[in-house]
């Protein structure tokens, strides 16, 4: 394992202390100012303007402590400051947070899990601290603000309520008010009928990042002195909202059979309530408009080399967020970007490292089809394309951005953070584990690996590396949120 694979992790104290300075440098104003430049966390103007709808990451992996289950983690609303006093980061009400599963490869979900939230707010005028004394239980009267949620499953045209009165783990408002946040999280965890568990609440930002790729993707260089910049994940000093869903593999597999149909595509969306202003509002049922979406990490960053600070409102990044996955195959501009991603051309212009010849069918397969022998992928094996599913119709498979996971891939005894590219078939892009690093593998695959020459020299060993505390091996795997005094 190389140093750039994130093996050098400093002490928590060192990381938290240095993160403040790194945030300013790497996030350029970051969430504190409502504007950031951190790739997939702020990947389009529309999501930047609506933080509660900003899906930052989707993870999906076989649960390390129960190999018959898969855990999906959807992170939203990044840049939450460590808790103290009046801070509060609730999920959006009058909105739908959804996780979609597709075993047929059509871009249309076979199954959707949907969370909707509502507030219970006892604060005077609905503002101020959410707790007025130590909170040791979600039932304590000292907790003045709670979020309740409903979790539904939509499958085969039928909607089932799995949880009708769930309680989200609250924003961590500091050690004085919430001395045992782990107990509150445990109380907020709910079992699902038929097996599985779920949790909604705040967590420590788990995103393992190498901020040096931002320079490579946007201007083609990491600076005049290679290795001088840190391989840091500055956002990991902050918190993020999370929806955690653990399900038996039979619940994810097409027709409930992970042996015949081992591959599932996964993505998340957020939709806001809207209305047709041309009609009488009193006669309308609520309608919902999709405004946020994510499957593969950093897809906008990797295809266009942009993020919110460089994107134009209404551009391809915004259209991607608003478009259903089933319509990806009809957007010719999007498909063209997948066949000709911008970062390799920028690196060639800045450093003379020739971009791989196009069209880049391997990148199209990476994001829109999965790793297969016959779909343009360069890995030379069938790993996670839905054409492997016996009950899927190959003629109906369409290009669509999804995080694809082979449910039958054995759990790695020695996980490598670079995943499939470095021989660990259970890692990204075969799903994505919480400890996987995606920036460096994405860069190397954009430069033609695994079949072309190595591009590892573009990111030499860094001067130092700050990353989040590794995820645990027990549910919910994500770490407790950072807390103030």
């Amino acid at each position: 394992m190389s140093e750039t694979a994130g093996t050098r992790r400093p002490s928590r104290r060192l990381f938290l202390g240095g993160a403040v300075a790194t945030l300013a440098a790497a996030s350029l104003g970051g969430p504190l100012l409502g504007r950031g430049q951190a790739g997939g966390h702020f990947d389009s103007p529309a999501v930047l303007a609506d933080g509660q709808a900003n899906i930052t990451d989707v993870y999906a992996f076989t649960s390390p402590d129960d190999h018959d289950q898969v855990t999906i983690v959807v992170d939203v609303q990044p840049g939450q400051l460590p808790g103290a006093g009046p801070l509060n980061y609730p999920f959006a009400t009058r909105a739908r947070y959804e996780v979609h599963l597709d075993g047929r490869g059509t871009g249309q979900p076979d199954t959707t899990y949907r969370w909707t939230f509502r507030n219970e707010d006892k604060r005077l005028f609905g503002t101020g601290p959410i707790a007025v004394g130590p909170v040791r239980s979600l039932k304590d009267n000292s907790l003045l603000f709670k979020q309740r949620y409903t979790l539904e499953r939509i499958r085969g045209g039928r909607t089932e309520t799995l949880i009708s009165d769930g309680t989200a783990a609250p924003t961590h408002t500091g050690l004085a008010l919430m001395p045992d946040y782990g107990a509150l999280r445990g109380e907020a965890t709910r079992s699902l009928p038929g097996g599985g568990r779920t949790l909604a609440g705040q967590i420590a930002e788990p995103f393992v990042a190498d901020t040096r790729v931002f320079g490579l993707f946007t201007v083609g260089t990491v600076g005049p002195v290679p290795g001088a910049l840190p391989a840091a994940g500055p956002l990991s000093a902050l918190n993020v909202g999370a929806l955690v869903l653990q399900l038996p593999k039979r619940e994810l597999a097409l027709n409930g059979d992970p042996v015949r149909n081992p591959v599932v595509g996964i993505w998340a969306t957020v939709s806001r309530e809207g209305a047709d202003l041309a009609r009488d509002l009193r006669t309308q049922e609520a309608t919902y408009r999709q405004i946020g979406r994510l499957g593969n990490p950093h897809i906008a960053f990797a295809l266009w080399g942009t993020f919110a600070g460089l994107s134009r409102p209404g551009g391809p990044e915004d259209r991607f967020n608003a478009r259903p996955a089933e319509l990806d195959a009809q957007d010719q501009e999007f498909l063209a970007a997948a066949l000709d991603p911008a970062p390799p051309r920028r690196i060639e212009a800045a450093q003379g490292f020739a971009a791989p010849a196009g069209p880049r069918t391997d990148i199209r397969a990476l994001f829109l089809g999965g790793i297969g022998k016959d779909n343009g992928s360069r890995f030379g094996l069938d790993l996670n394309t839905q054409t492997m599913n016996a009950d899927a119709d190959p003629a109906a498979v369409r290009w669509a951005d999804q995080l694809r996971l082979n449910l039958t891939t054995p759990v790695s005894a020695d996980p490598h953070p670079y995943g499939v590219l470095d021989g660990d078939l259970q890692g990204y892009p075969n799903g994505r584990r919480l400890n996987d690093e995606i920036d460096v593998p994405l860069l190397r695959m954009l430069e033609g690996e695994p079949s072309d020459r190595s591009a590892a020299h573009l990111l030499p060993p860094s001067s130092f590396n700050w990353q989040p505390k590794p995820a645990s091996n027990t549910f919910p795997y994500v770490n407790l949120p950072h807390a103030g005094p």
Side-chain angles (χ1 to χ4, degrees):
M1 189 180 297
S2 68
E3 288 185 336
T4 54
T7 56
R8 292 186 302 152
R9 289 181 171 169
S11 70
R12 197 74 175 160
R13 182 176 301 175
L14 174 62
F15 171 67
L16 291 173
V20 174
T22 309
L23 273 169
S27 297
L28 194 59
L32 305 179
L33 301 179
R35 180 181 179 88
Q37 300 190 6
H41 281 65
F42 306 100
D43 57 6
S44 83
V47 298
L48 192 62
D50 188 350
Q52 290 178 311
N54 187 356
I55 306 171
T56 65
D57 290 283
V58 176
Y59 303 87
F61 51 90
T62 294
S63 305
D65 54 344
D66 186 345
H67 297 184
D68 292 328
Q69 309 255 353
V70 164
T71 299
I72 300 169
V73 180
V74 178
D75 290 347
V76 298
Q77 196 178 3
Q80 300 178 11
L81 295 173
L87 295 175
N88 189 23
Y89 298 100
F91 295 93
T93 59
R94 306 180 71 176
R96 290 172 170 173
Y97 293 87
E98 295 179 320
V99 168
H100 308 282
L101 309 177
D102 175 13
R104 304 178 192 278
T106 62
Q108 298 178 329
D110 305 316
T111 305
T112 293
Y113 290 85
R114 175 186 295 160
W115 290 260
T116 51
F117 291 86
R118 56 191 182 278
N119 296 339
E120 288 186 3
D121 194 350
K122 299 179 181 177
R123 297 175 297 174
L124 187 64
F125 304 120
T127 187
I130 66 170
V132 293
V135 178
R136 295 184 171 83
S137 167
L138 298 178
K139 299 176 182 175
D140 284 357
N141 290 328
S142 55
L143 182 61
L144 301 182
F145 179 91
K146 300 177 187 175
Q147 280 207 302
R148 302 282 191 182
Y149 70 86
T150 298
L151 175 60
E152 299 171 303
R153 179 175 59 203
I154 299 96
R155 183 162 56 193
R158 181 182 174 210
T159 300
E160 306 167 81
T161 298
L162 302 180
I163 295 177
S164 60
D165 59 349
T167 304
T171 299
H172 197 329
T173 53
L175 298 173
L177 291 174
M178 296 182 180
D180 188 356
Y181 191 87
L184 300 180
R185 170 188 280 185
E187 193 177 345
T189 299
R190 296 287 299 269
S191 297
L192 299 176
R197 290 175 282 187
T198 190
L199 168 70
Q202 190 183 48
I203 65 171
E205 171 69 75
F207 179 46
V208 182
D210 189 330
T211 49
R212 295 176 301 169
V213 304
F214 303 143
L216 285 166
F217 281 22
T218 55
V219 296
T221 178
V222 294
V225 183
L229 295 177
L235 292 173
S236 59
L238 304 175
N239 297 320
V240 67
L243 302 168
V244 184
L245 183 64
Q246 186 175 66
L247 297 168
K249 289 184 174 178
R250 65 177 183 278
E251 289 291 321
L252 290 93
L254 180 61
N255 295 332
D257 190 340
V259 175
R260 281 181 57 83
N261 304 300
V263 177
V264 59
I266 302 164
W267 71 101
T269 60
V270 179
S271 301
R272 286 281 196 180
E273 188 177 301
D276 182 357
L277 298 181
R279 297 168 47 209
D280 186 344
L281 297 179
R282 295 169 297 181
T283 65
Q284 296 183 42
E285 295 289 336
T287 59
Y288 289 84
R289 180 173 59 89
Q290 180 182 310
I291 55 176
R293 170 189 169 194
L294 195 67
N296 277 287
H298 276 178
I299 182 171
F301 200 30
L303 296 188
W304 295 291
T306 58
F307 45 80
L310 295 177
S311 306
R312 58 182 170 84
E317 301 90 348
D318 277 348
R319 294 199 299 274
F320 170 80
N321 274 292
R323 185 174 60 236
E326 63 185 282
L327 299 182
D328 278 351
Q330 299 179 26
D331 188 313
Q332 296 305 311
E333 182 181 357
F334 176 62
L335 295 178
L339 293 170
D340 185 23
R345 288 186 276 103
R346 292 176 181 168
I347 292 170
E348 179 178 355
Q351 304 190 41
F353 189 67
R360 298 297 304 277
T361 57
D362 56 324
I363 298 304
R364 183 179 60 182
L366 171 67
F367 290 120
L368 310 182
I371 295 177
K373 286 182 179 178
D374 303 319
N375 67 354
S377 171
R378 298 188 178 195
F379 284 91
L381 74 163
D382 284 324
L383 180 61
N384 63 351
T385 173
Q386 280 108 331
T387 56
M388 298 169 60
N389 290 343
D391 295 336
D393 177 5
V397 173
R398 297 289 182 269
W399 300 119
D401 173 52
Q402 302 173 358
L403 184 63
R404 291 171 173 83
L405 173 67
N406 187 324
L407 302 171
T408 62
T409 304
V411 172
S412 300
D414 184 19
H416 194 291
Y418 291 173
V420 176
L421 191 60
D422 279 4
D424 178 2
L425 295 183
Q426 198 216 351
Y428 180 76
N430 185 18
R432 182 186 177 193
R433 299 166 299 201
L434 289 161
N435 292 331
D436 283 349
E437 297 186 20
I438 51 95
D439 288 323
V440 175
L442 270 180
L443 171 69
R444 289 169 54 189
M445 288 186 279
L446 285 167
E447 290 294 350
E449 292 192 51
S451 58
D452 274 3
R453 76 283 194 244
S454 172
H457 70 282
L458 294 173
L459 282 176
S462 63
S463 55
F464 53 95
N465 193 356
W466 286 336
Q467 298 297 346
K469 177 183 176 182
S472 75
N473 286 325
T474 56
F475 185 88
Y477 315 106
V478 290
N479 290 307
L480 296 175
H482 305 297

